Amino acid sequence: MVRSESSPAQVWAEVEGVLPFPFEPVSRTLAEPAAWCGFLALHLNTKACAHGAAAQGTPLLVLYSGRKHYEPPDDAYRMDYQFEVREREDGGVRVSLQADEGPLGTEDHRIEVRAAPAPEGTSVHIRSSYVPSFLSRASTGVYLATLGRGKEGFSRTAAPDTGEKRPVEGVRGIIERNAVRYYLALEVFLETRSLPPGERLETRLRTWFERTERYPQLEELSREEYLESKRREQRNQSHLQQTMDASGPGALPGS
């Protein structure tokens, strides 16, 4: 199930489903910042990810976001996410990432995953949200009138003129597509965690691309373009992680 809303106060989308994996390994995976860098990096707009601790000792995820084609971290937008894990009353777990600032003056960016045991495996709920700005709305409007024209999301809404149910477009379509990409990335990451280390990355990249190709809404790059970009970006990510391990988040590119 996919849902979304867009208003001047907040833009959000959420995806719900059941993954065929036991809850315990899923919850352990979600509690590890390194695992988040592993699956978030499959998203074509994630240029790199590094994890460590902020000055006050709280877990930190540094995410570099950019265009769909290859982009080095220096040219991408750096976002510092606070990483928090909480147990839920129903025996599940909730993990949230929160960044105060984002590109184009946007604020309060959040990615949240809630997971709980289910008869078929683990129920998973992913929610992505942010507070838009005047500049982001203007920039998105230009994109939707050009490169993003006609691109759809996953949920359906009634057309104002006929009442006919149609796939959402516009800002809701954008954030829904991204939320589904996150969901598929987590699914692929969990599927491949038992592979030998040397086989995981290439298998994850190829599988994530194939999984997204099932949905016309998610078609962007060719297989070759995606794989080549991600192989280069993964090398950048490894270098960033080594730098962060040695010197801390202040040594990474960006603000």
Side-chain angles (χ1 to χ4, degrees), residues 40-58:
L40 290 177
L42 300 177
H43 193 303
L44 73 171
N45 293 120
T46 301
K47 305 293 100 180
C49 178
H51 59 91
Q56 63 271 36
T58 57

Side-chain angles (χ1 to χ4, degrees), residues 66-114:
R67 59 196 183 98
K68 59 187 177 183
H69 295 283
Y70 170 77
E71 198 168 15
D74 283 324
D75 294 340
Y77 190 91
R78 170 177 168 168
M79 299 177 68
D80 290 2
Y81 283 92
Q82 300 297 315
F83 185 91
E84 182 181 41
V85 182
R86 289 185 179 179
E87 298 293 329
R88 287 170 41 178
E89 292 182 359
D90 61 0
V93 66
R94 179 175 69 85
V95 185
S96 61
L97 273 62
Q98 191 269 331
D100 291 336
E101 299 176 353
L104 300 174
T106 54
E107 298 178 338
D108 195 22
H109 283 254
R110 296 176 184 264
I111 304 172
E112 181 179 277
V113 177
R114 301 199 301 268

Side-chain angles (χ1 to χ4, degrees), residues 32 49 76 105 108 118 154 163 168 177 187 192 194:
E32 297 173 359
C49 178
D108 195 22
F154 290 83
V168 299
R177 293 194 295 273
E187 180 181 47
T192 55
S194 60

